[in-house]
Amino acid sequence: MNIIWQEFLKIVREEAGSRVVETWFKAVSLLKWDEHKKTVYLIAPNNYVQQWIKNHYLELIKKHLGRLLNENTITIVFTESLQPAIMSPASEQPETLIYKPAQSLMVKQPYSSNTHTTSLKTIKPRSLSINSIYLFDTFIVGPNNTLAFSAAHAVAEKPGKLYNPLFIYGASGLGKTHLLHAIGNHIQKSFKKINILYQSADRFVHEFINAIRFDKINHFEAKYKDLDLLLVDDIQFISNKEQTQEAFFHIFNMLHQAQKQIVFTSDTLPCDIAGLAERMKSRLEGGLIADIQIPQYETKIAILKQKAEKNNECLSDEVAHYIATYPFYNIRELEGALIRISAYASLTHQPITKDLAHKVLIKKQDDKKSIDLQKIMHHIARHFNYTQQELKSAKRNKDLVMARHIAMYFMKKLTHHSLKEISAFLDRSDHSTVIHAFDKIESCRQVDNNLCQTLTQIEKEIVT
């Protein structure tokens, strides 16, 4: 039976896609096949999964599982435990599945710095995944980000009372994540008893899938019901995920109605996020929307000066002005340039001068021209112990996907190749996959020190 079920999953993966298999069918197992009754018995972890599969994939199960069992007509019986729910041909009337959140817990009243009403159960104050290095004091404010900074600071001063939700959007590397963590750090310092969660949208999707698979929906929702502040990075990654959006919609409503602060970041406006339900767009647009643009010349200089001072380095006005003239389109690129210049000066025992900066930056441009896509693929395959064919394949196991995303990340970062050229090299038809991979790795490296070290090591291997 296991062999038959695994073969069925392969067929579903090809016909309906990996996401359907990972989200729904991996949660189901084939209990037995009754040849005399022509009945297949399947186990689902809960009624939620059972109803969704029944409403959306019943005919697919009958078609392909019946073929594997050499039967034209079969009956499907779903069970959570010992009580089967028979789905015979006569009872297959379509039903509308409505996402029903778990029984609500009593939520706390809006908090203040002086009082904090407790819920029915004692909640231990927590601040999950907040990076203490990102503060308002270390954020360089300029014309490109004044509104976003001011709004974030106002939210941190009076959470749940102003701009709820706050939606910050802009390209990768401009400081969106910095502001999220700065809000978290400020509120954590000002309000002692408070529950804070920083969560990437990708992580939310992953947790929701596991909650479905392992019958933990109640635990999943309880985690969010207890929050006072929810910080969601890269909310665009829940696009085209219908049930994840449904779950998030109810969590959003619960927190918002209790006047708990919610802050989002995205690479684009809510109205421009493809694959996002209209009511989700409406919720995201319900507060204040603030953008962050590419830093201007003066802001670049201020960023360089602050970075150098933090690292106890001497950076003259002449060098700072020279670096700022280069076409760096985000803060990360700008800071990366300074790091390379400082490292070269240290290794060669030279002061940081305009000539030295010119030499390093020109070399960087030349290095980009000398690094090709095949070279990056070779290093990624060797580092993660995959073949290049596997990296280009459609296989979706977790470790392979991460390696593939890292390959895309470095192809975009270290070469002059276009997104279209990179996606074609990897046998992908849509270059948006490369953008998604790059943004995801950039987001993860900011909060995952192990990943940051891994990326640094791989980059050294590629460029040397």
Side-chain angles (χ1 to χ4, degrees):
M1 289 297 97
N2 183 59
I3 293 174
I4 290 175
W5 185 247
Q6 293 305 316
E7 189 63 31
F8 168 73
L9 292 182
K10 290 181 182 177
I11 296 171
V12 176
R13 191 181 299 275
E14 293 175 359
E15 183 163 323
S18 298
R19 187 166 61 85
V20 170
V21 173
E22 295 297 326
T23 305
W24 302 107
F25 284 98
K26 280 289 185 69
V28 177
S29 57
L30 174 56
L31 179 62
K32 69 176 182 178
W33 159 242
D34 189 324
E35 188 173 3
H36 297 292
K37 295 181 179 179
K38 310 300 184 213
T39 300
V40 172
Y41 294 86
L42 300 176
I43 300 177
N46 51 50
N47 185 63
Y48 180 48
V49 173
Q50 179 188 139
Q51 289 300 315
W52 181 260
I53 292 180
K54 175 181 176 181
N55 289 330
H56 294 81
Y57 303 112
L58 182 60
E59 291 306 318
L60 183 145
I61 295 175
K62 287 184 173 183
K63 174 183 176 182
H64 295 300
L65 206 52
R67 183 169 59 83
L68 290 171
L69 295 167
N70 293 316
E71 292 292 341
N72 292 327
T73 303
I74 62 174
T75 298
I76 306 298
V77 175
F78 259 113
T79 180
E80 289 183 50
S81 55
L82 299 177
Q83 300 299 323
I86 298 179
M87 304 195 311
S88 60
S91 64
E92 289 160 17
Q93 298 301 319
E95 298 174 13
T96 301
L97 176 66
I98 300 176
Y99 176 84
K100 294 183 179 179
Q103 184 66 34
S104 297
L105 301 174
M106 180 179 287
V107 296
K108 298 183 288 298
Q109 295 300 315
Y111 46 83
S112 70
S113 56
N114 299 317
T115 61
H116 192 77
T117 305
T118 58
S119 64
L120 286 176
K121 61 180 184 176
T122 301
I123 305 299
K124 182 180 179 181
R126 63 190 176 188
S127 179
L128 303 180
S129 303
I130 300 298
N131 194 324
S132 60
I133 70 171
Y134 294 123
L135 306 171
F136 286 123
D137 289 343
T138 59
F139 188 89
I140 299 297
V141 183
N144 62 304
N145 58 28
T146 301
L147 176 60
F149 176 85
S150 300
H153 197 274
V155 160
E157 288 289 333
K158 296 182 178 180
K161 301 183 183 301
L162 294 171
Y163 315 136
N164 196 17
L166 172 61
F167 189 97
I168 303 172
Y169 75 97
S172 177
L174 294 177
K176 301 188 302 295
T177 299
H178 186 139
L179 285 179
L180 275 190
H181 289 282
I183 292 170
N185 280 310
H186 188 93
I187 291 178
Q188 183 183 23
K189 182 179 178 181
S190 302
F191 303 89
K192 301 304 179 184
K193 293 182 179 181
I194 192 166
N195 293 327
I196 303 172
L197 176 62
Y198 165 84
Q199 183 78 297
S200 69
D202 267 345
R203 181 66 184 170
F204 182 89
V205 172
H206 177 73
E207 286 188 356
F208 178 64
I209 290 173
N210 281 341
I212 293 173
R213 289 182 61 183
F214 302 115
D215 196 14
K216 299 291 185 180
I217 286 293
N218 288 358
H219 294 81
F220 172 80
E221 293 188 337
K223 170 182 176 179
Y224 289 90
K225 286 184 174 72
D226 293 335
L227 293 177
D228 297 304
L229 171 64
L230 176 59
L231 307 166
V232 184
D233 216 352
D234 293 319
I235 189 62
Q236 73 272 10
F237 290 146
I238 70 169
S239 62
N240 297 312
K241 297 176 177 64
E242 181 181 348
Q243 283 301 292
T244 301
Q245 290 182 37
E246 190 75 18
F248 189 84
F249 179 81
H250 287 280
I251 289 171
F252 177 97
N253 284 346
M254 182 274 301
L255 292 176
H256 191 265
Q257 289 168 10
Q259 297 181 42
K260 305 304 174 68
Q261 183 66 52
I262 310 169
V263 185
F264 301 101
T265 72
S266 174
D267 61 0
T268 187
L269 284 164
C271 62
D272 293 331
I273 301 177
L276 197 63
E278 287 303 318
R279 64 176 183 171
M280 269 304 306
K281 291 181 180 180
S282 175
R283 292 298 188 276
L284 297 179
E285 293 171 339
L288 176 67
I289 298 177
D291 69 328
I292 301 182
Q293 300 291 338
I294 296 171
Q296 297 178 0
Y297 178 73
E298 293 78 9
T299 307
K300 289 181 180 180
I301 294 172
I303 292 169
L304 290 167
K305 285 284 192 177
Q306 183 201 62
K307 185 73 174 180
E309 182 179 346
K310 181 180 178 182
N311 295 333
N312 296 315
E313 296 167 344
C314 181
L315 186 69
S316 68
D317 291 342
E318 180 186 37
V319 175
H321 281 259
Y322 177 75
I323 299 172
T325 62
Y326 268 75
F328 297 118
Y329 297 109
N330 63 54
I331 298 169
R332 203 167 293 122
E333 289 181 354
L334 186 67
E335 292 181 341
L338 179 60
I339 290 171
R340 289 193 300 274
I341 292 168
S342 300
Y344 186 83
S346 176
L347 291 171
T348 58
H349 304 289
Q350 299 180 59
I352 299 177
T353 64
K354 180 179 176 180
D355 288 341
L356 183 140
H358 174 75
K359 182 177 181 179
V360 173
L361 295 178
I362 289 296
K363 183 179 183 300
K364 179 64 177 177
Q365 297 299 315
D366 292 339
D367 285 344
K368 268 197 169 188
K369 294 176 182 177
S370 67
I371 297 174
D372 59 23
L373 301 180
Q374 185 59 50
K375 181 179 181 180
I376 293 174
M377 183 68 93
H378 168 75
H379 282 282
I380 299 297
R382 185 176 66 178
H383 188 95
F384 291 100
N385 197 28
Y386 286 112
T387 66
Q388 295 187 35
Q389 288 72 27
E390 286 175 317
L391 289 171
K392 290 184 176 183
S393 72
K395 294 179 180 178
R396 298 286 301 173
N397 74 69
K398 183 178 179 181
D399 292 338
L400 177 57
V401 169
M402 175 59 78
R404 187 181 295 131
H405 283 177
I406 290 174
M408 294 178 182
Y409 170 80
F410 281 120
M411 287 175 181
K412 181 178 184 298
K413 179 181 179 182
L414 300 178
T415 77
H416 286 303
H417 287 282
S418 67
L419 296 174
K420 186 176 181 180
E421 290 170 335
I422 295 171
S423 58
F425 177 82
L426 293 168
D427 297 333
R428 264 52 185 179
S429 58
D430 186 1
H431 68 264
S432 65
T433 304
V434 180
I435 299 174
H436 171 84
F438 184 87
D439 288 345
K440 180 177 180 180
I441 297 300
E442 277 286 12
S443 177
C444 289
R445 76 176 297 172
Q446 295 181 52
V447 294
D448 187 336
N449 290 331
N450 291 331
L451 176 61
C452 190
Q453 291 174 9
T454 298
L455 294 175
T456 300
Q457 179 60 37
I458 294 174
E459 185 167 354
K460 287 180 180 178
E461 293 172 0
I462 295 172
V463 300
T464 55

